[in-house]
Every structure is written in structure tokens, then in C-alpha cells.
């Protein structure tokens, strides 16, 4: 998901076998505020999640007192949640549904933000997941962002030095 949101061209690069750059393996996970963790029945860290077309490792998965499943992501930096951060958390919410009911997730920046898992967010997420699946199936992305200067997949990119997009 984070790759698609950075540039759909990365999915095309992965489709043809591009390896993840070493920096991708570095975890950005930050400690959970104790007062937040105390409000949950159980909290697991670095939880691998998987559903068709998508997989990832959630920073934390909490379970509330009613059995609800709550993905928690930690990000560096202040400010309100950015759109890519919300979609990444939404992807964890969708994948975490395999563990139980998900009503919201939490994004922790300089403070925790509760992100409701609304039908509109789920529908927008499904559109992205469908696009990712189509790229893996062979369709080239309809656009690429060309944020190439900081892209770890530039060496394998079929768009970087062409006019295809
Ligand atoms: S090198 Fe540029 S166009 Fe290619 S995937 Fe990366 S950001 Fe996208």
C-alpha cells in the first residue's frame, strides 16, 4: 500500500521482480504511550497481516474490552494525519478484519488520532486495492508520480527514463 501511494510505478517494478531496497526493512515503529496501551485488553507489536493483493506488518494490533480489533500505526512528525497515512492505516484495518471486528484505527504522530473505519474509507481503499491487483496482473499503472529522486526502485523502473506515463 505505501508503495502504491508513493508511486504506482513501484508496483510495476515489483511485478517484474524488483527487490525491496535494504532501507525498506528498517522499522519506523515507535513506543506506544503507556496510557494508551492501558486502555486495551491486549496489545501485540509488529503483527504481520495479509489479505489478497496486500500484506504488511502493523506496528501494533490492540484488542479492546469488547473484542474489537484496533490497528495502531506510529509515524514520526507532528501535524494532522496525511492522506497516505490514513490509507495505509485503512489497509491495516481491512487486513485486521481477519482477526475480528474493526471499527477504527489509531495513528500516533505527536499525539494519537482516531481514524474511523467508515464505509467511504473502505470503498476508497477497495478502489486502490483493485488497482494494485490489476497492476500485479499485468496492467501498467494509469499514472506514475515520478517522485524519483527519493525512490528506492528507480533502478528497476520502467517509467523513469521513458515517456510511458
Ligand atoms: S523511479 Fe519514479 S516513476 Fe519510477 S517508480 Fe520510482 S517514483 Fe515512480
Amino acid at each position: 500500500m505505501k508503495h502504491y501511494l508513493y508511486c504506482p510505478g513501484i508496483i510495476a517494478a515489483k511485478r517484474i521482480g524488483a527487490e525491496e531496497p535494504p532501507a525498506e526493512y528498517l522499522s519506523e515503529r515507535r513506543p506506544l504511550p503507556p496510557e494508551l496501551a492501558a486502555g486495551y485488553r491486549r496489545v501485540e507489536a509488529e503483527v504481520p497481516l495479509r489479505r489478497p493483493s496486500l500484506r504488511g506488518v502493523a506496528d501494533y494490533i490492540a484488542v479492546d474490552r469488547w473484542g474489537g480489533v484496533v490497528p495502531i500505526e506510529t509515524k514520526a512528525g507532528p501535524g494532522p494525519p496525511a492522506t497516505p497515512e490514513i490509507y495505509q492505516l485503512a489497509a491495516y484495518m481491512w487486513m485486521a478484519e481477519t482477526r475480528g471486528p474493526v471499527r477504527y484505527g489509531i495513528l500516533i504522530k505527536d499525539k494519537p488520532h482516531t481514524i474511523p473505519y467508515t464505509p467511504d474509507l473502505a470503498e476508497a481503499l477497495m478502489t486502490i486495492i483493485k488497482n494494485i491487483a490489476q497492476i500485479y496482473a499485468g496492467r501498467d499503472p494509469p499514472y506514475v508520480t515520478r517522485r524519483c529522486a527519493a525512490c528506492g526502485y528507480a533502478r528497476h523502473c520502467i517509467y523513469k527514463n521513458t515517456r510511458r506515463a
Side-chain angles (χ1 to χ4, degrees), residues 1 4-5 54 83 86-91 94 116-132 143:
M1 176 60 63
Y4 179 89
L5 294 170
L54 218 57
T83 301
I86 292 172
Y87 279 125
Q88 192 181 349
L89 181 61
W94 179 63
Y117 190 37
T118 64
D120 283 353
L121 180 57
E123 188 181 332
L125 177 71
M126 287 307 111
T127 300
I128 293 173
I129 290 171
K130 195 170 139 200
N131 286 343
I132 291 173
Y143 73 97

PDB file of all heavy atoms in Angstrom, residues 1 4-5 54 83 86-91 94 116-132 143:
ATOM      1  N   MET A   1       0.823  -1.208   0.000  1.00  0.00           N
ATOM      2  CA  MET A   1       0.000   0.000   0.000  1.00  0.00           C
ATOM      3  C   MET A   1       0.860   1.262   0.000  1.00  0.00           C
ATOM      4  O   MET A   1       0.659   2.159  -0.800  1.00  0.00           O
ATOM      5  CB  MET A   1      -0.926  -0.025   1.224  1.00  0.00           C
ATOM      6  CG  MET A   1      -1.762   1.203   1.409  1.00  0.00           C
ATOM      7  SD  MET A   1      -2.867   1.572   0.043  1.00  0.00           S
ATOM      8  CE  MET A   1      -3.945   0.152   0.066  1.00  0.00           C
ATOM      9  N   TYR A   4       2.324   1.834  -3.430  1.00  0.00           N
ATOM     10  CA  TYR A   4       1.362   2.356  -4.404  1.00  0.00           C
ATOM     11  C   TYR A   4       1.116   3.837  -4.145  1.00  0.00           C
ATOM     12  O   TYR A   4       1.042   4.637  -5.070  1.00  0.00           O
ATOM     13  CB  TYR A   4       0.053   1.573  -4.325  1.00  0.00           C
ATOM     14  CG  TYR A   4      -0.987   2.082  -5.286  1.00  0.00           C
ATOM     15  CD1 TYR A   4      -1.060   1.586  -6.589  1.00  0.00           C
ATOM     16  CD2 TYR A   4      -1.889   3.087  -4.909  1.00  0.00           C
ATOM     17  CE1 TYR A   4      -2.002   2.068  -7.484  1.00  0.00           C
ATOM     18  CE2 TYR A   4      -2.830   3.574  -5.799  1.00  0.00           C
ATOM     19  CZ  TYR A   4      -2.887   3.055  -7.077  1.00  0.00           C
ATOM     20  OH  TYR A   4      -3.824   3.546  -7.961  1.00  0.00           O
ATOM     21  N   LEU A   5       0.972   4.201  -2.878  1.00  0.00           N
ATOM     22  CA  LEU A   5       0.666   5.593  -2.558  1.00  0.00           C
ATOM     23  C   LEU A   5       1.852   6.505  -2.867  1.00  0.00           C
ATOM     24  O   LEU A   5       1.672   7.681  -3.170  1.00  0.00           O
ATOM     25  CB  LEU A   5       0.259   5.719  -1.086  1.00  0.00           C
ATOM     26  CG  LEU A   5      -1.052   5.013  -0.734  1.00  0.00           C
ATOM     27  CD1 LEU A   5      -1.257   4.986   0.771  1.00  0.00           C
ATOM     28  CD2 LEU A   5      -2.238   5.692  -1.416  1.00  0.00           C
ATOM     29  N   LEU A  54      -2.519  -7.843  -0.833  1.00  0.00           N
ATOM     30  CA  LEU A  54      -1.922  -6.929   0.143  1.00  0.00           C
ATOM     31  C   LEU A  54      -1.333  -7.694   1.315  1.00  0.00           C
ATOM     32  O   LEU A  54      -1.891  -8.703   1.753  1.00  0.00           O
ATOM     33  CB  LEU A  54      -3.040  -6.011   0.666  1.00  0.00           C
ATOM     34  CG  LEU A  54      -2.692  -4.549   0.927  1.00  0.00           C
ATOM     35  CD1 LEU A  54      -2.135  -3.898  -0.321  1.00  0.00           C
ATOM     36  CD2 LEU A  54      -3.934  -3.801   1.395  1.00  0.00           C
ATOM     37  N   THR A  83      -3.128  12.128   3.994  1.00  0.00           N
ATOM     38  CA  THR A  83      -3.953  11.155   3.258  1.00  0.00           C
ATOM     39  C   THR A  83      -3.257   9.799   3.081  1.00  0.00           C
ATOM     40  O   THR A  83      -3.863   8.759   3.342  1.00  0.00           O
ATOM     41  CB  THR A  83      -4.364  11.745   1.896  1.00  0.00           C
ATOM     42  OG1 THR A  83      -5.099  12.948   2.142  1.00  0.00           O
ATOM     43  CG2 THR A  83      -5.235  10.778   1.115  1.00  0.00           C
ATOM     44  N   ILE A  86      -3.464   7.867   6.245  1.00  0.00           N
ATOM     45  CA  ILE A  86      -4.817   7.354   6.526  1.00  0.00           C
ATOM     46  C   ILE A  86      -5.086   6.093   5.705  1.00  0.00           C
ATOM     47  O   ILE A  86      -5.606   5.100   6.216  1.00  0.00           O
ATOM     48  CB  ILE A  86      -5.868   8.443   6.233  1.00  0.00           C
ATOM     49  CG1 ILE A  86      -5.735   9.577   7.254  1.00  0.00           C
ATOM     50  CG2 ILE A  86      -7.280   7.865   6.258  1.00  0.00           C
ATOM     51  CD1 ILE A  86      -6.578  10.798   6.955  1.00  0.00           C
ATOM     52  N   TYR A  87      -4.681   6.117   4.422  1.00  0.00           N
ATOM     53  CA  TYR A  87      -4.920   4.928   3.589  1.00  0.00           C
ATOM     54  C   TYR A  87      -4.072   3.744   4.051  1.00  0.00           C
ATOM     55  O   TYR A  87      -4.514   2.597   3.975  1.00  0.00           O
ATOM     56  CB  TYR A  87      -4.661   5.244   2.116  1.00  0.00           C
ATOM     57  CG  TYR A  87      -5.829   5.953   1.462  1.00  0.00           C
ATOM     58  CD1 TYR A  87      -5.659   7.166   0.817  1.00  0.00           C
ATOM     59  CD2 TYR A  87      -7.097   5.391   1.506  1.00  0.00           C
ATOM     60  CE1 TYR A  87      -6.732   7.826   0.234  1.00  0.00           C
ATOM     61  CE2 TYR A  87      -8.183   6.046   0.926  1.00  0.00           C
ATOM     62  CZ  TYR A  87      -7.989   7.254   0.286  1.00  0.00           C
ATOM     63  OH  TYR A  87      -9.053   7.896  -0.285  1.00  0.00           O
ATOM     64  N   GLN A  88      -2.862   4.021   4.494  1.00  0.00           N
ATOM     65  CA  GLN A  88      -2.037   2.911   4.991  1.00  0.00           C
ATOM     66  C   GLN A  88      -2.686   2.288   6.235  1.00  0.00           C
ATOM     67  O   GLN A  88      -2.768   1.066   6.366  1.00  0.00           O
ATOM     68  CB  GLN A  88      -0.618   3.392   5.305  1.00  0.00           C
ATOM     69  CG  GLN A  88       0.317   2.199   5.539  1.00  0.00           C
ATOM     70  CD  GLN A  88       1.738   2.613   5.887  1.00  0.00           C
ATOM     71  OE1 GLN A  88       2.097   3.786   5.767  1.00  0.00           O
ATOM     72  NE2 GLN A  88       2.531   1.663   6.306  1.00  0.00           N
ATOM     73  N   LEU A  89      -3.183   3.138   7.115  1.00  0.00           N
ATOM     74  CA  LEU A  89      -3.872   2.612   8.302  1.00  0.00           C
ATOM     75  C   LEU A  89      -5.149   1.879   7.893  1.00  0.00           C
ATOM     76  O   LEU A  89      -5.479   0.824   8.451  1.00  0.00           O
ATOM     77  CB  LEU A  89      -4.187   3.753   9.271  1.00  0.00           C
ATOM     78  CG  LEU A  89      -4.876   3.354  10.575  1.00  0.00           C
ATOM     79  CD1 LEU A  89      -4.014   2.390  11.393  1.00  0.00           C
ATOM     80  CD2 LEU A  89      -5.206   4.591  11.407  1.00  0.00           C
ATOM     81  N   ALA A  90      -5.867   2.432   6.906  1.00  0.00           N
ATOM     82  CA  ALA A  90      -7.086   1.761   6.422  1.00  0.00           C
ATOM     83  C   ALA A  90      -6.755   0.372   5.883  1.00  0.00           C
ATOM     84  O   ALA A  90      -7.526  -0.576   6.074  1.00  0.00           O
ATOM     85  CB  ALA A  90      -7.761   2.607   5.349  1.00  0.00           C
ATOM     86  N   ALA A  91      -5.612   0.254   5.227  1.00  0.00           N
ATOM     87  CA  ALA A  91      -5.214  -1.063   4.714  1.00  0.00           C
ATOM     88  C   ALA A  91      -5.003  -2.039   5.866  1.00  0.00           C
ATOM     89  O   ALA A  91      -5.406  -3.209   5.793  1.00  0.00           O
ATOM     90  CB  ALA A  91      -3.938  -0.930   3.882  1.00  0.00           C
ATOM     91  N   TRP A  94      -8.391  -3.074   7.123  1.00  0.00           N
ATOM     92  CA  TRP A  94      -9.011  -4.089   6.250  1.00  0.00           C
ATOM     93  C   TRP A  94      -8.378  -5.453   6.500  1.00  0.00           C
ATOM     94  O   TRP A  94      -9.085  -6.457   6.669  1.00  0.00           O
ATOM     95  CB  TRP A  94      -8.845  -3.675   4.788  1.00  0.00           C
ATOM     96  CG  TRP A  94      -9.431  -4.646   3.813  1.00  0.00           C
ATOM     97  CD1 TRP A  94     -10.751  -5.004   3.685  1.00  0.00           C
ATOM     98  CD2 TRP A  94      -8.712  -5.391   2.830  1.00  0.00           C
ATOM     99  NE1 TRP A  94     -10.889  -5.932   2.676  1.00  0.00           N
ATOM    100  CE2 TRP A  94      -9.659  -6.178   2.136  1.00  0.00           C
ATOM    101  CE3 TRP A  94      -7.371  -5.465   2.454  1.00  0.00           C
ATOM    102  CZ2 TRP A  94      -9.300  -7.032   1.088  1.00  0.00           C
ATOM    103  CZ3 TRP A  94      -7.011  -6.310   1.406  1.00  0.00           C
ATOM    104  CH2 TRP A  94      -7.970  -7.084   0.737  1.00  0.00           C
ATOM    105  N   PRO A 116     -11.832   6.656  12.099  1.00  0.00           N
ATOM    106  CA  PRO A 116     -12.945   5.712  11.966  1.00  0.00           C
ATOM    107  C   PRO A 116     -12.849   4.940  10.648  1.00  0.00           C
ATOM    108  O   PRO A 116     -12.468   5.508   9.617  1.00  0.00           O
ATOM    109  CB  PRO A 116     -14.185   6.614  11.967  1.00  0.00           C
ATOM    110  CG  PRO A 116     -13.727   7.943  12.443  1.00  0.00           C
ATOM    111  CD  PRO A 116     -12.276   8.059  12.096  1.00  0.00           C
ATOM    112  N   TYR A 117     -13.194   3.670  10.714  1.00  0.00           N
ATOM    113  CA  TYR A 117     -13.189   2.828   9.511  1.00  0.00           C
ATOM    114  C   TYR A 117     -14.580   2.932   8.880  1.00  0.00           C
ATOM    115  O   TYR A 117     -15.430   2.081   9.074  1.00  0.00           O
ATOM    116  CB  TYR A 117     -12.856   1.389   9.905  1.00  0.00           C
ATOM    117  CG  TYR A 117     -12.588   0.453   8.758  1.00  0.00           C
ATOM    118  CD1 TYR A 117     -11.909   0.865   7.622  1.00  0.00           C
ATOM    119  CD2 TYR A 117     -12.992  -0.874   8.830  1.00  0.00           C
ATOM    120  CE1 TYR A 117     -11.647  -0.009   6.589  1.00  0.00           C
ATOM    121  CE2 TYR A 117     -12.731  -1.758   7.803  1.00  0.00           C
ATOM    122  CZ  TYR A 117     -12.060  -1.319   6.684  1.00  0.00           C
ATOM    123  OH  TYR A 117     -11.810  -2.202   5.654  1.00  0.00           O
ATOM    124  N   THR A 118     -14.801   4.003   8.149  1.00  0.00           N
ATOM    125  CA  THR A 118     -16.124   4.305   7.605  1.00  0.00           C
ATOM    126  C   THR A 118     -16.344   3.564   6.280  1.00  0.00           C
ATOM    127  O   THR A 118     -15.376   3.170   5.614  1.00  0.00           O
ATOM    128  CB  THR A 118     -16.260   5.812   7.335  1.00  0.00           C
ATOM    129  OG1 THR A 118     -15.299   6.163   6.323  1.00  0.00           O
ATOM    130  CG2 THR A 118     -16.009   6.635   8.589  1.00  0.00           C
ATOM    131  N   PRO A 119     -17.610   3.418   5.864  1.00  0.00           N
ATOM    132  CA  PRO A 119     -17.875   2.805   4.548  1.00  0.00           C
ATOM    133  C   PRO A 119     -17.184   3.573   3.422  1.00  0.00           C
ATOM    134  O   PRO A 119     -16.688   2.969   2.473  1.00  0.00           O
ATOM    135  CB  PRO A 119     -19.403   2.875   4.429  1.00  0.00           C
ATOM    136  CG  PRO A 119     -19.887   2.879   5.849  1.00  0.00           C
ATOM    137  CD  PRO A 119     -18.848   3.642   6.627  1.00  0.00           C
ATOM    138  N   ASP A 120     -17.130   4.905   3.501  1.00  0.00           N
ATOM    139  CA  ASP A 120     -16.476   5.688   2.444  1.00  0.00           C
ATOM    140  C   ASP A 120     -14.983   5.385   2.382  1.00  0.00           C
ATOM    141  O   ASP A 120     -14.404   5.248   1.298  1.00  0.00           O
ATOM    142  CB  ASP A 120     -16.676   7.191   2.687  1.00  0.00           C
ATOM    143  CG  ASP A 120     -18.063   7.660   2.294  1.00  0.00           C
ATOM    144  OD1 ASP A 120     -18.821   6.852   1.707  1.00  0.00           O
ATOM    145  OD2 ASP A 120     -18.404   8.822   2.581  1.00  0.00           O
ATOM    146  N   LEU A 121     -14.342   5.287   3.562  1.00  0.00           N
ATOM    147  CA  LEU A 121     -12.910   4.988   3.579  1.00  0.00           C
ATOM    148  C   LEU A 121     -12.669   3.572   3.043  1.00  0.00           C
ATOM    149  O   LEU A 121     -11.748   3.348   2.250  1.00  0.00           O
ATOM    150  CB  LEU A 121     -12.356   5.126   5.006  1.00  0.00           C
ATOM    151  CG  LEU A 121     -10.871   4.850   5.191  1.00  0.00           C
ATOM    152  CD1 LEU A 121     -10.020   5.762   4.301  1.00  0.00           C
ATOM    153  CD2 LEU A 121     -10.461   5.020   6.664  1.00  0.00           C
ATOM    154  N   ALA A 122     -13.525   2.633   3.463  1.00  0.00           N
ATOM    155  CA  ALA A 122     -13.365   1.254   2.989  1.00  0.00           C
ATOM    156  C   ALA A 122     -13.548   1.176   1.474  1.00  0.00           C
ATOM    157  O   ALA A 122     -12.811   0.461   0.782  1.00  0.00           O
ATOM    158  CB  ALA A 122     -14.366   0.342   3.692  1.00  0.00           C
ATOM    159  N   GLU A 123     -14.496   1.935   0.940  1.00  0.00           N
ATOM    160  CA  GLU A 123     -14.744   1.900  -0.506  1.00  0.00           C
ATOM    161  C   GLU A 123     -13.554   2.488  -1.279  1.00  0.00           C
ATOM    162  O   GLU A 123     -13.118   1.931  -2.295  1.00  0.00           O
ATOM    163  CB  GLU A 123     -16.021   2.678  -0.818  1.00  0.00           C
ATOM    164  CG  GLU A 123     -16.462   2.527  -2.262  1.00  0.00           C
ATOM    165  CD  GLU A 123     -17.725   3.333  -2.548  1.00  0.00           C
ATOM    166  OE1 GLU A 123     -18.529   3.552  -1.619  1.00  0.00           O
ATOM    167  OE2 GLU A 123     -17.891   3.755  -3.704  1.00  0.00           O
ATOM    168  N   ALA A 124     -13.015   3.602  -0.779  1.00  0.00           N
ATOM    169  CA  ALA A 124     -11.850   4.206  -1.436  1.00  0.00           C
ATOM    170  C   ALA A 124     -10.658   3.255  -1.371  1.00  0.00           C
ATOM    171  O   ALA A 124      -9.889   3.121  -2.334  1.00  0.00           O
ATOM    172  CB  ALA A 124     -11.507   5.538  -0.769  1.00  0.00           C
ATOM    173  N   LEU A 125     -10.516   2.571  -0.251  1.00  0.00           N
ATOM    174  CA  LEU A 125      -9.425   1.608  -0.108  1.00  0.00           C
ATOM    175  C   LEU A 125      -9.578   0.470  -1.118  1.00  0.00           C
ATOM    176  O   LEU A 125      -8.600   0.042  -1.737  1.00  0.00           O
ATOM    177  CB  LEU A 125      -9.414   1.054   1.320  1.00  0.00           C
ATOM    178  CG  LEU A 125      -8.369  -0.024   1.586  1.00  0.00           C
ATOM    179  CD1 LEU A 125      -6.973   0.569   1.596  1.00  0.00           C
ATOM    180  CD2 LEU A 125      -8.662  -0.739   2.898  1.00  0.00           C
ATOM    181  N   MET A 126     -10.817  -0.018  -1.293  1.00  0.00           N
ATOM    182  CA  MET A 126     -11.046  -1.116  -2.234  1.00  0.00           C
ATOM    183  C   MET A 126     -10.653  -0.722  -3.656  1.00  0.00           C
ATOM    184  O   MET A 126     -10.154  -1.543  -4.419  1.00  0.00           O
ATOM    185  CB  MET A 126     -12.522  -1.552  -2.202  1.00  0.00           C
ATOM    186  CG  MET A 126     -12.928  -2.323  -0.967  1.00  0.00           C
ATOM    187  SD  MET A 126     -11.882  -3.756  -0.631  1.00  0.00           S
ATOM    188  CE  MET A 126     -11.042  -3.220   0.837  1.00  0.00           C
ATOM    189  N   THR A 127     -10.889   0.541  -4.011  1.00  0.00           N
ATOM    190  CA  THR A 127     -10.501   1.010  -5.348  1.00  0.00           C
ATOM    191  C   THR A 127      -8.980   0.923  -5.512  1.00  0.00           C
ATOM    192  O   THR A 127      -8.474   0.465  -6.545  1.00  0.00           O
ATOM    193  CB  THR A 127     -10.970   2.466  -5.553  1.00  0.00           C
ATOM    194  OG1 THR A 127     -12.386   2.495  -5.429  1.00  0.00           O
ATOM    195  CG2 THR A 127     -10.563   2.994  -6.920  1.00  0.00           C
ATOM    196  N   ILE A 128      -8.243   1.327  -4.477  1.00  0.00           N
ATOM    197  CA  ILE A 128      -6.785   1.259  -4.534  1.00  0.00           C
ATOM    198  C   ILE A 128      -6.321  -0.197  -4.608  1.00  0.00           C
ATOM    199  O   ILE A 128      -5.442  -0.547  -5.411  1.00  0.00           O
ATOM    200  CB  ILE A 128      -6.165   1.968  -3.308  1.00  0.00           C
ATOM    201  CG1 ILE A 128      -6.435   3.464  -3.377  1.00  0.00           C
ATOM    202  CG2 ILE A 128      -4.668   1.696  -3.237  1.00  0.00           C
ATOM    203  CD1 ILE A 128      -6.011   4.226  -2.132  1.00  0.00           C
ATOM    204  N   ILE A 129      -6.927  -1.052  -3.798  1.00  0.00           N
ATOM    205  CA  ILE A 129      -6.527  -2.463  -3.787  1.00  0.00           C
ATOM    206  C   ILE A 129      -6.791  -3.098  -5.153  1.00  0.00           C
ATOM    207  O   ILE A 129      -5.987  -3.893  -5.656  1.00  0.00           O
ATOM    208  CB  ILE A 129      -7.253  -3.216  -2.651  1.00  0.00           C
ATOM    209  CG1 ILE A 129      -6.696  -2.740  -1.306  1.00  0.00           C
ATOM    210  CG2 ILE A 129      -7.108  -4.724  -2.801  1.00  0.00           C
ATOM    211  CD1 ILE A 129      -7.459  -3.226  -0.112  1.00  0.00           C
ATOM    212  N   LYS A 130      -7.924  -2.728  -5.767  1.00  0.00           N
ATOM    213  CA  LYS A 130      -8.238  -3.248  -7.106  1.00  0.00           C
ATOM    214  C   LYS A 130      -7.169  -2.784  -8.105  1.00  0.00           C
ATOM    215  O   LYS A 130      -6.704  -3.558  -8.939  1.00  0.00           O
ATOM    216  CB  LYS A 130      -9.618  -2.722  -7.532  1.00  0.00           C
ATOM    217  CG  LYS A 130     -10.219  -3.444  -8.700  1.00  0.00           C
ATOM    218  CD  LYS A 130     -11.669  -2.998  -8.846  1.00  0.00           C
ATOM    219  CE  LYS A 130     -11.978  -2.803 -10.324  1.00  0.00           C
ATOM    220  NZ  LYS A 130     -13.130  -1.965 -10.568  1.00  0.00           N
ATOM    221  N   ASN A 131      -6.758  -1.527  -8.012  1.00  0.00           N
ATOM    222  CA  ASN A 131      -5.706  -1.026  -8.907  1.00  0.00           C
ATOM    223  C   ASN A 131      -4.409  -1.795  -8.697  1.00  0.00           C
ATOM    224  O   ASN A 131      -3.723  -2.148  -9.665  1.00  0.00           O
ATOM    225  CB  ASN A 131      -5.459   0.470  -8.657  1.00  0.00           C
ATOM    226  CG  ASN A 131      -6.569   1.332  -9.211  1.00  0.00           C
ATOM    227  OD1 ASN A 131      -7.351   0.889 -10.039  1.00  0.00           O
ATOM    228  ND2 ASN A 131      -6.648   2.562  -8.744  1.00  0.00           N
ATOM    229  N   ILE A 132      -4.049  -2.047  -7.444  1.00  0.00           N
ATOM    230  CA  ILE A 132      -2.814  -2.786  -7.154  1.00  0.00           C
ATOM    231  C   ILE A 132      -2.898  -4.186  -7.757  1.00  0.00           C
ATOM    232  O   ILE A 132      -1.951  -4.664  -8.408  1.00  0.00           O
ATOM    233  CB  ILE A 132      -2.573  -2.856  -5.630  1.00  0.00           C
ATOM    234  CG1 ILE A 132      -2.224  -1.466  -5.094  1.00  0.00           C
ATOM    235  CG2 ILE A 132      -1.456  -3.853  -5.308  1.00  0.00           C
ATOM    236  CD1 ILE A 132      -2.129  -1.391  -3.571  1.00  0.00           C
ATOM    237  N   TYR A 143      -1.004   6.058 -14.120  1.00  0.00           N
ATOM    238  CA  TYR A 143      -0.166   7.236 -13.929  1.00  0.00           C
ATOM    239  C   TYR A 143       0.974   6.837 -13.004  1.00  0.00           C
ATOM    240  O   TYR A 143       0.898   5.815 -12.308  1.00  0.00           O
ATOM    241  CB  TYR A 143      -0.954   8.393 -13.296  1.00  0.00           C
ATOM    242  CG  TYR A 143      -1.258   8.158 -11.843  1.00  0.00           C
ATOM    243  CD1 TYR A 143      -0.453   8.715 -10.838  1.00  0.00           C
ATOM    244  CD2 TYR A 143      -2.317   7.346 -11.462  1.00  0.00           C
ATOM    245  CE1 TYR A 143      -0.714   8.463  -9.501  1.00  0.00           C
ATOM    246  CE2 TYR A 143      -2.580   7.097 -10.129  1.00  0.00           C
ATOM    247  CZ  TYR A 143      -1.771   7.661  -9.154  1.00  0.00           C
ATOM    248  OH  TYR A 143      -2.020   7.410  -7.829  1.00  0.00           O
TER     249      TYR A 143
END
